[in-house]
Every structure is written in C-alpha cells, then in structure tokens.
C-alpha cells in the first residue's frame, strides 16, 4: 500500500490563543430558532445579534488568491484580523486552506497545518466550521491535473482524499461543500474542465457524497455554486439533480448559494423563492460566500448612494435566508477589504466587504446587524406567544 505523509505542525501559536468568545456552541444549530439574551456590549457583534441557532460566518483569508499580494497569510500574522473574526462570527469557512492545492499538494502528502489551525481556532472561539471543498474543477494541484492516471486510479485518489480529509475532521465540521460548481451557467455539467466528471462520468458526484457521509455521518453535505441565487437554468439543473439523487438514496443534505453579487446588476429578487423550493425537497439551504462588489470612482472612494445600494443587497440576501426555515447558515466571503479577493479577479471593482481595510464598519455591516436583531426579536415574540398559548395571526 502506498504510504501517505502528513504535515500537521501548528501554524502559529498566536492564532489559537485569543480569549474565548461567548456565543453559540460548536455543535450544529438546533432545528428551531429562539432568541438569545443580549447584553448591550454584545449588540454590536453579528453573532450575538442573530437568533439562536442561526450562524453568521466569514471566510478565513490566507493564501491562494492572495499569493500575488504583498502581505503574509492574514490568519497567521494579523492579530487584529483574528480578533474581529472571533468576536463577530459564529462560523468560519477556510477560503483556500481546505482546497486540494493547499491540503493535498503532492500525491503522497497531505498538509493539514493551515486547516488544523482554523479548526482549532474555531473550537477555541465556539464557532462552527464549513468545509470547502471536496470535488471541484479549480485549484487542483498540478500532480493531479497533469498526471497520467487510469480511471480506476483517479477514482481511488478521490475516494482516499475525501475519506482522509473528512475523516480527519469528523465531528468538527458542521457542513461540507462536497460538490462545488459542477454546472455551467447554461445548466450543463462541466464535462470538460472538471477532471472528475470528465474522466469518471456524472456518477462520481453521487459517490463523493456517499464517501463523505461514510467518513463523517454527522456532517451536512452540500452542493455549492455561484449564479444560482435566482430561479434560472443553472439552479434548475441542481433542482433536478438533487431530486434524482434523493430518489437513489444519496445522502445530499443541502444546497447553498454563494452570493457573489455586484451592484452593476439588479438584485436577484427571486432568491427566497429559489431557496424555498430546495427547502421543499427537505434540504437545508445556506448562503455561503456573500460579497457585493461595485465599480469604484477614480478617487477609489464609493459614493454614499453606492454604499446604500451595497447595504441593501446585503440586507435583502440575509432577509431571504431568514425567511426560509431551513436556511440557518449565512456566510460572507471575508469581512474586510484588506484581504478581499475581488480586486484581484474583477478589474475596476472592489469595496465588496462589510468593513474597510482599516476595519471600519460600513453601512452594510449595520444593515446585517439590524436585520439580525429584528429577526431575534421576532423569534422571541413568537416563542413567548407560543408559550402563553398565542400564535401569530
């Protein structure tokens, strides 16, 4: 049997020694939402403003998209970044550190250092973790994409990877993005650029879910994609695929929309309807990668109207999730413009997160906070009304 080497040395002790943050426990959220008591000091924390059982998350920056930037890994070296991450959020998603090129850089070697540090940080700060991602067409290591493997070898490689990675974090990761971006915008499977589907056929997607479930039966297993916020050809394809897989008994638990939005375009007004139809299939739903980019003026400073519109997009996305019973996980793709991926990939666009590079809060931050507060109040009123025998009319 081929021997596998693991790299598990801790990245930085400082990343794991922040004070504990009071908030939701690291276990998965309960089925219902009830309002948690809030102190005045906690009111400005998104995680404390939220209804109980509703997790508010952020991607954890650190490599990949940032390799060409002139700063080191933010999670390891930026103490202020970690402090805000711990205080504000009850969920974290590794932006790149669990993708294949980071965690499995060589055929016979796994490097768990960055992922381990994030999972330990989350446990220390009573946060849940979203694992991202197991089967994807992008950010695969060179050894995999350019290797000369038989179909049997490729299948064994994927199975071993999923079993090893999911198994390592069994009981520590709440949700996994098992299959990421497997359809194009026309609703066609990526049969050319996705090595797994191209070489092994569409059935490999079902196998990935089965292997992940076997490695950690408690983790919730998701499809995840962009441009599926509304009802369109792409989300229709997922809706049809999920129904087929459920009929086969494949352990699919959830469907998530990434939410990489731009003020260039109108807001997807049918977001709630789209989430609701997946909810009707018995799936959990989630928003997993929300940011709202914009075209910046020559000054580089957005106008008040641009900030208002951005805040509206953030708020409407959160409201749509809150309106769907099974949508209990809401993640923004980074919280500070200091480490945003957007300017690297969208020339001329930026200012996409809820805090500036100096960690100043934007109107978008307060829109999220106030929306969460209102949802918590409504849930509290509903809970008390039910306790006293009064329902909503």
């Amino acid at each position: 049997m081929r021997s596998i080497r693991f790299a598990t040395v801790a990245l930085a002790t400082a990343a794991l020694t922040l004070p504990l943050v009071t908030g939701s426990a690291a276990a998965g959220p309960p089925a219902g939402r009830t309002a948690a008591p809030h102190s005045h000091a906690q009111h400005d924390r998104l995680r404390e403003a939220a209804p109980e059982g509703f997790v508010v998350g952020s991607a954890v920056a650190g490599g990949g998209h940032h390799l060409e930037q002139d700063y080191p890994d933010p999670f390891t070296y930026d103490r202020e970044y970690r402090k805000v991450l711990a205080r504000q959020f009850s969920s974290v998603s590794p932006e790149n550190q669990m993708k294949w090129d980071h965690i499995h850089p060589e055929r016979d070697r796994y490097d768990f250092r960055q992922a381990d540090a994030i999972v330990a940080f989350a446990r220390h700060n009573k946060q849940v973790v979203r694992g991202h991602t197991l089967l994807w067409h992008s950010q695969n290591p060179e050894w995999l994409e350019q290797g000369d493997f038989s179909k049997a070898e490729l299948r064994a490689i994927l199975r071993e990877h999923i079993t090893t990675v999911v198994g390592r974090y069994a009981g520590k990761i709440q949700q996994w993005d098992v299959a990421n971006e497997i359809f194009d915008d026309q609703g066609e499977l990526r049969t050319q650029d996705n090595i797994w589907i191209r070489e092994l056929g569409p059935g490999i997607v079902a196998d990935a879910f089965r292997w992940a479930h076997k490695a950690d039966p408690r983790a919730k297993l998701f499809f995840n994609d962009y441009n599926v916020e509304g009802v369109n050809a792409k989300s229709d394809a997922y809706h049809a695929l999920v129904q087929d897989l459920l009929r086969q008994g494949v352990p699919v638990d959830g469907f998530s929309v990434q939410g990489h939005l731009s003020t260039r375009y109108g807001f997807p007004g049918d977001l709630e309807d789209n989430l609701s139809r997946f909810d009707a299939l018995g799936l959990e739903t989630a928003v997993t990668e929300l940011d709202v980019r914009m075209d910046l003026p020559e000054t580089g400073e957005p106008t008040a109207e641009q900030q208002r519109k951005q805040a509206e997009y953030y708020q409407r996305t959160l409201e749509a999730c809150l309106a769907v019973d099974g949508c209990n996980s809401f993640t923004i793709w980074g919280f500070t413009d200091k480490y945003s991926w957007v300017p690297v990939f969208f020339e001329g666009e930026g200012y996409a997160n809820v805090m500036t590079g100096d960690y100043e809060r934007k109107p978008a931050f307060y829109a999220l906070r106030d929306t969460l507060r209102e949802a918590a109040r409504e849930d509290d009123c509903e809970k008390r009304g039910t306790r006293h025998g009064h329902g909503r009319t």
Side-chain angles (χ1 to χ4, degrees):
M1 176 178 286
R2 188 183 299 275
S3 61
I4 303 295
R5 292 175 288 136
F6 301 117
T8 59
V9 180
L11 270 181
T13 302
L16 308 179
T17 56
L18 294 178
L20 284 178
V21 175
T22 58
S24 302
R33 304 180 190 140
T34 56
H38 303 296
S39 72
H40 291 295
Q42 293 172 329
H43 261 193
D44 278 342
R45 298 180 183 180
L46 298 178
R47 64 185 291 170
E48 300 297 345
E52 186 177 340
F54 187 88
V55 297
V56 184
S58 173
V60 178
H65 296 303
H66 307 296
L67 291 180
E68 59 268 56
Q69 303 296 328
D70 59 352
Y71 51 74
D73 166 34
F75 179 74
T76 306
Y77 294 99
D78 190 333
R79 181 174 178 80
E80 179 68 13
Y81 175 88
R82 295 194 305 273
K83 182 170 69 173
V84 177
L85 181 68
R87 286 180 174 175
Q88 290 294 338
F89 301 100
S90 53
S91 174
V92 292
S93 298
E95 183 175 348
N96 292 288
Q97 301 91 333
M98 287 186 179
K99 291 173 180 172
W100 272 73
D101 57 354
H102 276 67
I103 209 167
H104 201 166
E106 299 175 25
R107 171 80 185 273
D108 302 332
R109 182 173 70 90
Y110 289 84
D111 186 347
F112 292 109
R113 290 174 296 176
Q114 293 181 325
D116 281 354
I118 292 171
V119 171
F121 176 91
R123 184 177 182 85
H124 187 77
N125 291 287
K126 299 184 179 179
Q127 298 165 315
V128 298
V129 181
R130 293 198 81 257
H132 178 79
T133 175
L134 300 173
L135 185 153
W136 193 26
H137 67 275
S138 185
Q139 287 185 244
N140 288 325
E142 191 173 290
W143 68 263
L144 175 64
E145 290 286 352
Q146 298 184 12
D148 184 20
F149 301 113
S150 68
K151 293 183 185 301
E153 286 175 319
L154 269 180
R155 180 178 172 83
I157 288 170
L158 180 60
R159 183 172 188 169
E160 176 221 276
H161 177 93
I162 292 175
T163 300
T164 300
V165 175
V166 177
R168 181 180 185 84
Y169 301 111
K172 299 177 181 178
I173 289 187
Q174 184 190 62
Q175 300 178 354
W176 270 104
D177 290 331
V178 175
N180 194 51
E181 301 173 5
I182 64 170
F183 288 104
D184 63 23
D185 284 344
Q186 287 69 50
E188 301 294 331
L189 279 171
R190 293 182 183 271
T191 55
Q192 296 304 311
D193 51 357
N194 187 307
I195 184 174
W196 310 111
I197 297 174
R198 183 184 67 238
E199 301 299 328
L200 302 176
I204 195 61
V205 175
D207 287 335
F209 277 89
R210 294 185 183 104
W211 296 333
H213 179 71
K214 185 175 181 180
D216 184 2
R218 294 174 56 192
K220 300 295 185 178
L221 308 180
F222 277 68
F223 282 106
N224 186 59
D225 214 325
Y226 64 94
N227 287 352
V228 292
E229 291 74 30
V231 178
N232 54 35
K234 196 174 190 179
S235 61
D236 283 347
Y238 277 107
H239 195 253
L241 175 60
V242 166
Q243 291 179 81
D244 183 49
L245 294 178
L246 292 177
R247 281 192 292 267
Q248 298 176 45
V250 178
V252 178
D253 299 303
F255 174 78
S256 54
V257 301
Q258 293 180 10
H260 294 297
L261 306 180
S262 172
T263 57
R264 282 186 181 183
Y265 314 109
F267 183 83
D270 53 352
L271 172 58
E272 182 183 334
D273 290 340
N274 192 38
L275 293 174
S276 294
R277 65 174 178 159
F278 285 93
D279 182 77
L281 297 178
L283 297 189
E284 294 186 15
T285 55
V287 175
T288 55
E289 303 183 20
L290 179 63
D291 47 32
V292 183
R293 63 189 187 273
M294 62 180 70
D295 294 287
L296 292 173
E298 290 184 5
T299 62
E301 293 296 325
T303 65
E305 173 57 24
Q306 284 181 304
Q307 294 189 62
R308 184 205 64 76
K309 188 173 184 180
Q310 179 188 58
E312 177 193 338
Y313 279 34
Y314 270 100
Q315 179 176 350
R316 291 180 67 182
T317 306
L318 176 57
E319 287 174 341
C321 180
L322 286 165
V324 178
D325 286 342
C327 191
N328 290 307
S329 180
F330 181 88
T331 298
I332 57 178
W333 207 235
F335 58 89
T336 170
D337 291 335
K338 186 176 183 179
Y339 302 122
S340 174
W341 74 294
V342 168
V344 179
F345 282 79
F346 298 93
E347 185 176 356
E349 293 184 88
Y351 204 76
N353 300 113
V354 299
M355 295 184 188
T356 69
D358 295 325
Y359 300 102
E360 293 181 1
R361 299 169 181 181
K362 302 178 187 178
F365 174 90
Y366 295 107
L368 293 182
R369 184 201 64 184
D370 294 347
T371 302
L372 290 166
R373 282 183 182 176
E374 180 60 28
R377 280 195 293 266
E378 290 179 358
D379 278 9
D380 186 46
C381 289
E382 184 175 352
K383 179 183 177 182
R384 283 184 287 156
T386 301
R387 185 185 304 132
H388 294 292
H390 301 292
R392 286 182 177 177
T393 58

